[in-house]
Coordinates of all heavy atoms in Angstrom, one line a residue:
R1223 N 0.6 -6.4 -17.3 CA 0.7 -7.2 -16.0 C 1.3 -6.2 -14.9 O 2.0 -5.4 -15.0 CB 1.6 -8.3 -16.2 CG 1.1 -9.3 -17.2 CD 1.0 -10.7 -16.6 NE 0.3 -11.5 -17.6 CZ -0.7 -12.3 -17.3 NH1 -1.1 -12.5 -16.2 NH2 -1.2 -13.1 -18.3
Y1224 N 0.7 -6.7 -13.7 CA 1.3 -6.0 -12.5 C 2.4 -6.7 -11.9 O 2.5 -7.9 -12.1 CB 0.1 -6.0 -11.5 CG -1.1 -5.0 -11.8 CD1 -2.2 -5.6 -12.3 CD2 -0.9 -3.7 -11.8 CE1 -3.4 -4.9 -12.6 CE2 -2.0 -2.9 -12.2 CZ -3.2 -3.5 -12.7 OH -4.2 -2.7 -13.0
P1225 N 3.3 -6.0 -11.3 CA 4.5 -6.6 -10.8 C 4.1 -7.6 -9.6 O 3.2 -7.3 -8.9 CB 5.4 -5.4 -10.3 CG 4.4 -4.3 -10.1 CD 3.4 -4.5 -11.1
A1226 N 4.9 -8.6 -9.5 CA 4.7 -9.6 -8.5 C 6.0 -9.8 -7.7 O 7.1 -9.9 -8.4 CB 4.1 -10.9 -9.0
F1227 N 6.0 -9.9 -6.5 CA 7.2 -10.1 -5.6 C 7.0 -11.4 -4.8 O 6.0 -11.5 -4.2 CB 7.5 -8.9 -4.8 CG 7.6 -7.6 -5.7 CD1 6.5 -6.8 -5.6 CD2 8.8 -7.4 -6.3 CE1 6.6 -5.6 -6.4 CE2 8.8 -6.1 -7.2 CZ 7.7 -5.3 -7.2
D1228 N 8.1 -12.1 -4.6 CA 8.0 -13.1 -3.6 C 8.6 -12.7 -2.3 O 9.2 -11.6 -2.2 CB 8.6 -14.4 -4.1 CG 10.1 -14.3 -4.4 OD1 10.8 -13.4 -3.9 OD2 10.6 -15.1 -5.1
G1229 N 8.4 -13.5 -1.3 CA 8.9 -13.2 0.1 C 10.4 -12.9 0.1 O 10.8 -12.0 0.8
S1230 N 11.2 -13.7 -0.6 CA 12.6 -13.6 -0.5 C 13.1 -12.2 -1.2 O 13.9 -11.6 -0.6 CB 13.4 -14.7 -1.2 OG 13.0 -14.8 -2.6
T1231 N 12.4 -11.8 -2.1 CA 12.7 -10.5 -2.7 C 12.4 -9.4 -1.8 O 13.1 -8.5 -1.6 CB 11.9 -10.3 -4.1 OG1 12.3 -11.3 -4.9 CG2 12.3 -9.0 -4.7
M1232 N 11.3 -9.5 -1.1 CA 10.8 -8.5 -0.1 C 11.8 -8.4 1.0 O 12.2 -7.3 1.5 CB 9.4 -8.7 0.3 CG 8.3 -8.6 -0.7 SD 8.2 -6.9 -1.4 CE 7.5 -6.1 0.0
E1233 N 12.2 -9.6 1.5 CA 13.1 -9.6 2.6 C 14.5 -8.9 2.2 O 15.1 -8.2 2.9 CB 13.5 -11.1 2.9 CG 12.4 -11.7 3.8 CD 12.7 -13.1 4.2 OE1 13.1 -13.9 3.3 OE2 12.6 -13.5 5.4
K1234 N 15.0 -9.2 1.0 CA 16.2 -8.7 0.5 C 16.1 -7.2 0.4 O 17.1 -6.4 0.7 CB 16.6 -9.3 -0.9 CG 17.9 -8.9 -1.3 CD 18.3 -9.6 -2.7 CE 17.3 -10.1 -3.5 NZ 17.8 -10.7 -4.8
W1235 N 15.0 -6.6 -0.1 CA 14.9 -5.2 -0.2 C 14.7 -4.5 1.1 O 15.1 -3.3 1.3 CB 13.6 -4.9 -1.1 CG 13.8 -5.2 -2.5 CD1 14.9 -5.5 -3.2 CD2 12.7 -5.2 -3.5 NE1 14.7 -5.8 -4.5 CE2 13.3 -5.5 -4.7 CE3 11.4 -4.9 -3.4 CZ2 12.5 -5.6 -6.0 CZ3 10.7 -5.0 -4.6 CH2 11.2 -5.3 -5.9
N1236 N 14.2 -5.3 2.1 CA 14.1 -4.7 3.4 C 13.4 -3.3 3.5 O 14.0 -2.4 3.9 CB 15.3 -4.7 4.1 CG 15.3 -4.5 5.7 OD1 14.2 -4.7 6.3 ND2 16.2 -3.9 6.2
P1237 N 12.2 -3.2 2.9 CA 11.6 -1.8 2.8 C 11.2 -1.2 4.3 O 10.9 -2.0 5.2 CB 10.3 -2.1 2.0 CG 9.9 -3.5 2.3 CD 11.3 -4.3 2.5
E1238 N 11.2 0.0 4.3 CA 10.9 0.7 5.5 C 9.3 1.0 5.6 O 8.7 1.0 6.6 CB 11.5 2.0 5.6 CG 13.0 1.9 5.7 CD 13.7 3.3 5.9 OE1 13.0 4.3 6.1 OE2 14.9 3.4 5.5
L1239 N 8.7 1.1 4.4 CA 7.3 1.3 4.3 C 6.7 0.6 3.1 O 7.2 0.5 2.0 CB 7.1 2.8 4.0 CG 5.6 3.3 3.7 CD1 4.8 3.2 4.9 CD2 5.7 4.8 3.3
I1240 N 5.5 -0.1 3.4 CA 4.8 -0.7 2.3 C 3.4 -0.3 2.3 O 2.7 -0.3 3.4 CB 4.8 -2.3 2.5 CG1 6.4 -2.8 2.6 CG2 4.0 -3.0 1.4 CD1 6.5 -4.3 3.0
L1241 N 2.9 0.2 1.2 CA 1.6 0.7 1.1 C 0.8 -0.3 0.2 O 1.2 -0.7 -0.9 CB 1.5 2.2 0.4 CG 2.2 3.2 1.1 CD1 2.2 4.5 0.3 CD2 1.7 3.5 2.5
L1242 N -0.3 -0.8 0.7 CA -1.1 -1.8 0.0 C -2.4 -1.0 -0.4 O -3.3 -0.7 0.4 CB -1.4 -3.0 0.8 CG -0.2 -3.8 1.3 CD1 -0.6 -4.9 2.2 CD2 0.5 -4.3 0.1
S1243 N -2.6 -1.0 -1.7 CA -3.8 -0.3 -2.2 C -5.0 -1.2 -2.3 O -4.9 -2.3 -2.6 CB -3.5 0.3 -3.6 OG -4.5 1.1 -4.1
S1244 N -6.2 -0.5 -2.1 CA -7.5 -1.3 -2.2 C -7.9 -1.4 -3.8 O -8.8 -2.1 -4.1 CB -8.6 -0.5 -1.5 OG -8.8 0.7 -2.0
E1245 N -7.2 -0.7 -4.6 CA -7.4 -0.8 -6.1 C -6.2 -0.8 -6.8 O -5.2 -0.2 -6.4 CB -8.1 0.5 -6.5 CG -9.6 0.7 -6.0 CD -10.6 0.0 -6.7 OE1 -10.3 -0.4 -7.9 OE2 -11.7 -0.2 -6.2
P1246 N -6.0 -1.5 -7.8 CA -7.0 -2.4 -8.5 C -7.1 -3.8 -7.8 O -8.0 -4.5 -8.0 CB -6.5 -2.5 -9.9 CG -5.0 -2.3 -9.8 CD -4.8 -1.4 -8.6
Y1247 N -6.2 -4.2 -7.0 CA -6.2 -5.4 -6.3 C -6.6 -5.0 -4.8 O -6.1 -4.2 -4.1 CB -4.9 -6.1 -6.3 CG -4.9 -7.4 -5.5 CD1 -5.4 -8.6 -6.1 CD2 -4.6 -7.5 -4.2 CE1 -5.4 -9.8 -5.5 CE2 -4.7 -8.7 -3.5 CZ -5.1 -9.8 -4.1 OH -5.1 -11.0 -3.4
P1248 N -7.7 -5.7 -4.3 CA -8.2 -5.4 -3.0 C -7.4 -6.1 -1.8 O -7.8 -7.0 -1.3 CB -9.7 -6.0 -3.0 CG -9.5 -7.1 -3.9 CD -8.5 -6.7 -4.9
F1249 N -6.2 -5.5 -1.6 CA -5.4 -6.0 -0.4 C -6.3 -5.7 0.9 O -7.0 -4.8 1.0 CB -4.2 -5.1 -0.3 CG -3.1 -5.5 -1.3 CD1 -2.9 -4.6 -2.4 CD2 -2.4 -6.7 -1.2 CE1 -1.9 -4.9 -3.4 CE2 -1.4 -7.1 -2.2 CZ -1.2 -6.2 -3.2
K1250 N -6.2 -6.7 1.7 CA -6.9 -6.7 3.1 C -6.0 -7.0 4.2 O -4.7 -7.1 4.0 CB -7.9 -7.9 3.0 CG -8.8 -7.8 1.8 CD -9.9 -6.7 2.0 CE -10.9 -6.7 0.9 NZ -11.6 -5.6 0.6
E1251 N -6.5 -6.9 5.5 CA -5.8 -7.2 6.6 C -4.9 -8.5 6.6 O -3.8 -8.5 7.0 CB -6.7 -7.2 7.8 CG -6.0 -7.2 9.1 CD -5.2 -6.1 9.6 OE1 -5.6 -5.0 9.1 OE2 -4.3 -6.1 10.2
K1252 N -5.5 -9.5 5.9 CA -4.7 -10.8 5.9 C -3.4 -10.7 5.1 O -2.4 -11.3 5.5 CB -5.6 -11.9 5.2 CG -5.8 -11.7 3.7 CD -6.7 -12.8 3.1 CE -6.9 -12.6 1.7 NZ -7.7 -13.7 1.0
H1253 N -3.3 -9.7 4.2 CA -2.1 -9.4 3.5 C -1.1 -8.6 4.4 O 0.1 -8.9 4.2 CB -2.3 -8.6 2.2 CG -3.3 -9.3 1.3 ND1 -4.6 -9.0 1.0 CD2 -3.0 -10.4 0.5 CE1 -5.1 -9.7 0.2 NE2 -4.2 -10.6 -0.3
L1254 N -1.6 -7.8 5.2 CA -0.7 -7.1 6.2 C -0.1 -8.1 7.1 O 1.1 -8.0 7.4 CB -1.5 -6.0 7.0 CG -1.9 -4.8 6.3 CD1 -2.8 -4.0 7.2 CD2 -0.8 -4.0 5.7
M1255 N -0.9 -9.0 7.6 CA -0.4 -10.1 8.5 C 0.7 -10.9 7.8 O 1.8 -11.2 8.5 CB -1.6 -10.9 9.1 CG -2.5 -10.2 9.9 SD -4.0 -11.0 10.4 CE -3.6 -12.7 10.3
E1256 N 0.6 -11.2 6.6 CA 1.5 -12.0 5.9 C 2.9 -11.3 5.6 O 4.0 -11.7 5.9 CB 1.0 -12.4 4.5 CG 1.9 -13.2 3.6 CD 1.3 -13.6 2.3 OE1 0.1 -13.6 2.1 OE2 2.1 -13.9 1.4
L1257 N 2.7 -9.9 5.3 CA 3.9 -9.1 5.1 C 4.6 -8.8 6.4 O 5.8 -8.6 6.4 CB 3.5 -7.8 4.4 CG 3.2 -7.9 2.9 CD1 2.6 -6.6 2.3 CD2 4.6 -8.2 2.2
R1258 N 3.8 -8.8 7.5 CA 4.5 -8.6 8.8 C 5.5 -9.7 9.1 O 6.5 -9.5 9.8 CB 3.4 -8.4 9.9 CG 2.8 -7.1 10.0 CD 2.0 -6.9 11.2 NE 1.3 -5.6 11.1 CZ 0.0 -5.5 10.8 NH1 -0.7 -6.6 10.6 NH2 -0.5 -4.3 10.7
T1259 N 5.3 -10.9 8.7 CA 6.1 -11.9 9.0 C 7.4 -11.9 8.0 O 8.5 -12.3 8.3 CB 5.5 -13.3 8.8 OG1 5.0 -13.5 7.4 CG2 4.3 -13.6 9.7
I1260 N 7.2 -11.4 6.8 CA 8.2 -11.3 5.8 C 9.2 -10.0 6.1 O 10.4 -10.1 6.0 CB 7.7 -11.2 4.4 CG1 7.0 -12.5 4.1 CG2 8.8 -10.9 3.3 CD1 6.1 -12.4 2.9
C1261 N 8.5 -9.0 6.4 CA 9.2 -7.7 6.6 C 8.8 -7.0 7.9 O 8.0 -6.1 8.1 CB 8.8 -6.6 5.5 SG 9.2 -7.2 3.9
P1262 N 9.3 -7.7 9.0 CA 8.8 -7.3 10.4 C 9.2 -5.9 10.8 O 8.5 -5.3 11.6 CB 9.5 -8.3 11.3 CG 10.7 -8.7 10.5 CD 10.3 -8.7 9.1
H1263 N 10.1 -5.2 10.2 CA 10.5 -3.9 10.5 C 9.8 -2.8 9.7 O 10.0 -1.6 10.0 CB 12.0 -3.6 10.5 CG 12.6 -4.7 11.3 ND1 12.5 -4.7 12.7 CD2 13.5 -5.7 11.1 CE1 13.3 -5.7 13.3 NE2 13.8 -6.3 12.3
A1264 N 9.1 -3.2 8.7 CA 8.4 -2.2 7.8 C 7.1 -1.7 8.4 O 6.4 -2.4 9.1 CB 8.1 -3.0 6.4
K1265 N 6.8 -0.5 8.2 CA 5.6 0.2 8.5 C 4.6 -0.2 7.3 O 5.0 0.0 6.1 CB 5.7 1.7 8.5 CG 4.5 2.3 9.0 CD 4.7 3.8 9.1 CE 5.2 4.2 10.6 NZ 5.1 5.6 10.7
L1266 N 3.5 -0.8 7.7 CA 2.6 -1.3 6.7 C 1.2 -0.5 6.8 O 0.7 -0.2 7.9 CB 2.2 -2.8 6.9 CG 3.4 -3.7 6.9 CD1 3.0 -5.1 7.4 CD2 4.0 -3.7 5.5
K1267 N 0.7 -0.2 5.6 CA -0.6 0.6 5.6 C -1.4 0.3 4.4 O -1.0 0.2 3.3 CB -0.1 2.1 5.6 CG -1.3 3.1 5.5 CD -2.0 3.2 6.8 CE -3.1 4.3 6.7 NZ -4.0 4.1 7.8
L1268 N -2.7 0.0 4.8 CA -3.7 -0.1 3.6 C -4.1 1.3 3.3 O -4.4 2.1 4.1 CB -4.9 -0.9 4.2 CG -4.7 -2.5 4.4 CD1 -6.0 -3.0 5.1 CD2 -4.4 -3.2 3.2
V1269 N -4.1 1.5 1.9 CA -4.5 2.8 1.4 C -5.7 2.7 0.5 O -5.9 1.7 -0.1 CB -3.4 3.5 0.7 CG1 -2.2 3.9 1.7 CG2 -2.8 2.8 -0.5
D1270 N -6.5 3.9 0.4 CA -7.6 3.9 -0.5 C -7.2 4.0 -1.9 O -6.7 5.0 -2.3 CB -8.5 5.1 0.0 CG -9.8 5.2 -0.8 OD1 -9.9 4.7 -1.9 OD2 -10.8 5.7 -0.3
G1271 N -7.3 2.9 -2.6 CA -6.9 2.9 -4.1 C -7.5 3.9 -4.9 O -6.9 4.5 -5.9
E1272 N -8.8 4.2 -4.7 CA -9.5 5.2 -5.5 C -8.9 6.6 -5.3 O -8.7 7.3 -6.3 CB -11.0 5.3 -5.2 CG -11.8 4.1 -5.7 CD -13.3 4.3 -5.6 OE1 -13.7 5.4 -5.3 OE2 -14.0 3.3 -5.7
L1273 N -8.5 7.0 -4.1 CA -8.0 8.3 -3.9 C -6.5 8.3 -4.1 O -5.9 9.4 -4.3 CB -8.3 8.8 -2.4 CG -9.8 8.9 -2.1 CD1 -10.0 9.4 -0.7 CD2 -10.5 10.0 -3.0
F1274 N -5.9 7.1 -4.0 CA -4.5 7.1 -4.1 C -3.9 7.0 -5.5 O -2.9 7.5 -5.8 CB -4.0 5.8 -3.3 CG -2.5 5.7 -3.0 CD1 -2.0 6.6 -2.0 CD2 -1.7 5.0 -3.7 CE1 -0.6 6.5 -1.7 CE2 -0.4 4.9 -3.5 CZ 0.1 5.8 -2.5
S1275 N -4.7 6.2 -6.5 CA -4.1 6.0 -7.7 C -5.1 6.2 -8.9 O -4.6 5.9 -10.0 CB -3.6 4.6 -7.8 OG -4.7 3.6 -7.4
W1276 N -6.2 6.7 -8.7 CA -7.1 6.9 -9.8 C -7.2 8.4 -10.2 O -6.8 9.2 -9.3 CB -8.5 6.5 -9.5 CG -8.7 4.9 -9.5 CD1 -8.0 4.0 -8.7 CD2 -9.4 4.1 -10.4 NE1 -8.4 2.8 -9.1 CE2 -9.3 2.9 -10.0 CE3 -10.3 4.6 -11.5 CZ2 -9.9 1.9 -10.8 CZ3 -11.0 3.5 -12.2 CH2 -10.8 2.1 -11.8
Y1277 N -7.5 8.8 -11.3 CA -7.6 10.1 -11.8 C -9.0 10.5 -12.1 O -10.0 9.8 -11.8 CB -6.8 10.4 -13.0 CG -7.2 9.5 -14.2 CD1 -8.2 9.8 -15.0 CD2 -6.5 8.2 -14.3 CE1 -8.5 9.0 -16.1 CE2 -6.9 7.4 -15.3 CZ -7.9 7.8 -16.2 OH -8.3 6.9 -17.3
G1278 N -9.3 11.7 -12.4 CA -10.6 12.2 -12.6 C -11.2 13.0 -11.4 O -10.5 13.5 -10.6
S1279 N -12.5 12.7 -11.3 CA -13.2 13.5 -10.2 C -12.8 13.0 -8.8 O -12.9 13.8 -7.9 CB -14.7 13.1 -10.4 OG -15.0 11.7 -10.2
R1280 N -12.0 11.9 -8.7 CA -11.6 11.4 -7.4 C -10.5 12.3 -6.9 O -10.2 12.5 -5.7 CB -11.1 10.0 -7.5 CG -12.2 9.0 -7.7 CD -11.5 7.6 -8.1 NE -12.6 6.6 -8.4 CZ -13.0 6.4 -9.6 NH1 -12.5 7.1 -10.7 NH2 -13.9 5.6 -9.9
L1281 N -9.8 13.0 -7.8 CA -8.7 13.9 -7.5 C -9.1 15.1 -6.4 O -8.3 15.6 -5.8 CB -8.1 14.5 -8.7 CG -7.2 13.5 -9.5 CD1 -6.6 14.2 -10.8 CD2 -6.1 12.9 -8.8
I1282 N -10.4 15.4 -6.5 CA -10.8 16.4 -5.6 C -10.5 16.1 -4.2 O -10.1 17.0 -3.4 CB -12.3 16.7 -5.8 CG1 -12.6 17.3 -7.2 CG2 -12.9 17.5 -4.7 CD1 -14.1 17.3 -7.5
N1283 N -10.7 14.9 -3.8 CA -10.4 14.4 -2.4 C -9.0 13.9 -2.2 O -8.6 13.6 -1.0 CB -11.4 13.3 -2.0 CG -12.9 13.8 -2.1 OD1 -13.2 14.9 -1.7 ND2 -13.6 13.1 -2.7
S1284 N -8.3 13.7 -3.3 CA -6.9 13.0 -3.1 C -5.9 13.9 -2.3 O -5.1 13.4 -1.5 CB -6.4 12.6 -4.4 OG -7.2 11.7 -5.0
G1285 N -6.0 15.2 -2.5 CA -5.0 16.1 -1.8 C -5.1 16.0 -0.3 O -4.1 15.8 0.3
N1286 N -6.4 16.1 0.2 CA -6.5 15.9 1.6 C -6.1 14.6 2.1 O -5.6 14.4 3.2 CB -7.9 16.3 2.1 CG -8.1 17.8 2.1 OD1 -7.2 18.6 2.2 ND2 -9.4 18.2 1.9
Y1287 N -6.5 13.5 1.4 CA -6.2 12.2 1.8 C -4.7 12.0 1.9 O -4.2 11.4 2.9 CB -6.8 11.2 0.8 CG -6.5 9.8 1.0 CD1 -7.2 9.2 2.1 CD2 -5.5 9.0 0.4 CE1 -7.0 7.8 2.4 CE2 -5.2 7.8 0.7 CZ -5.9 7.2 1.7 OH -5.7 5.8 2.1
L1288 N -4.0 12.4 0.8 CA -2.5 12.2 0.8 C -1.9 13.0 1.9 O -0.9 12.6 2.5 CB -2.0 12.5 -0.6 CG -2.3 11.6 -1.7 CD1 -1.9 12.0 -3.0 CD2 -1.9 10.2 -1.4
K1289 N -2.3 14.2 2.1 CA -1.7 15.0 3.1 C -1.9 14.4 4.5 O -1.0 14.3 5.3 CB -2.5 16.4 3.2 CG -2.0 17.4 4.2 CD -2.7 18.7 4.1 CE -2.5 19.7 5.2 NZ -3.3 20.8 5.1
N1290 N -3.1 13.9 4.8 CA -3.4 13.1 6.1 C -2.6 11.8 6.2 O -2.2 11.5 7.2 CB -4.9 12.9 6.2 CG -5.8 14.1 6.4 OD1 -5.2 15.1 6.9 ND2 -7.0 14.0 6.0
L1291 N -2.5 11.1 5.0 CA -1.7 10.0 5.1 C -0.2 10.2 5.4 O 0.4 9.5 6.2 CB -1.8 9.3 3.7 CG -0.9 8.0 3.5 CD1 -1.4 6.9 4.5 CD2 -1.1 7.5 2.0
Q1292 N 0.3 11.2 4.9 CA 1.7 11.6 5.1 C 1.8 11.9 6.6 O 2.8 11.6 7.2 CB 2.1 12.8 4.2 CG 3.6 13.3 4.5 CD 3.9 14.6 3.7 OE1 3.1 15.3 3.4 NE2 5.2 14.8 3.6
A1293 N 0.9 12.7 7.1 CA 1.0 13.1 8.6 C 0.8 11.8 9.4 O 1.6 11.7 10.5 CB -0.1 14.0 8.9
E1294 N 0.1 10.8 9.1 CA -0.1 9.6 9.7 C 1.2 8.7 9.7 O 1.6 8.1 10.7 CB -1.2 8.9 9.2 CG -1.5 7.6 10.0 CD -2.8 6.9 9.3 OE1 -3.6 7.6 8.8 OE2 -2.7 5.6 9.3
L1295 N 1.9 8.8 8.6 CA 3.0 8.0 8.4 C 4.3 8.5 9.0 O 5.4 7.8 9.2 CB 3.3 7.6 6.9 CG 2.2 6.8 6.3 CD1 2.4 6.7 4.8 CD2 2.1 5.4 6.9
L1296 N 4.5 9.8 9.3 CA 5.5 10.5 9.9 C 5.7 10.1 11.4 O 5.0 9.9 12.1 CB 5.6 11.9 9.6 CG 5.7 12.4 8.1 CD1 5.6 13.8 8.1 CD2 6.9 11.8 7.5

């Protein structure tokens, strides 16, 4: 099972950054909007789940993707 968190837990943790992956669960813009109400000070970003968390041939493109993501988030 994948971890699940409710709004009160997220508020208590008060994260600075939340990355929502498109894989294996397809997070969308509506999820960002929901999280903005729960964690208004967090930086939120949808990330490409294939390049972010899968292995194999996708790793060829992951290095550049993660490097660009890091630059974007700084």
Side-chain angles (χ1 to χ4, degrees):
R1223 298 238 174 222
Y1224 294 103
F1227 306 101
D1228 62 20
S1230 64
T1231 301
M1232 296 294 288
E1233 282 179 311
K1234 185 174 24 172
W1235 288 351
N1236 193 27
E1238 294 178 24
L1239 174 64
I1240 300 172
L1241 302 175
L1242 299 175
S1243 183
S1244 63
E1245 294 277 341
Y1247 181 84
F1249 286 102
K1250 305 286 186 203
E1251 185 67 34
K1252 67 180 182 177
H1253 300 106
L1254 290 176
M1255 292 171 28
E1256 181 181 339
L1257 281 170
R1258 281 189 185 106
T1259 63
I1260 297 169
C1261 301
H1263 302 293
K1265 184 179 274 191
L1266 303 169
K1267 178 74 176 160
L1268 291 172
V1269 296
D1270 184 334
E1272 286 189 16
L1273 297 178
F1274 195 78
S1275 58
W1276 286 64
Y1277 56 88
S1279 62
R1280 294 170 184 90
L1281 287 176
I1282 292 170
N1283 299 318
S1284 293
N1286 284 334
Y1287 178 79
L1288 293 172
K1289 183 178 168 183
N1290 292 334
L1291 179 63
Q1292 180 184 21
E1294 185 180 325
L1295 293 173
L1296 294 179

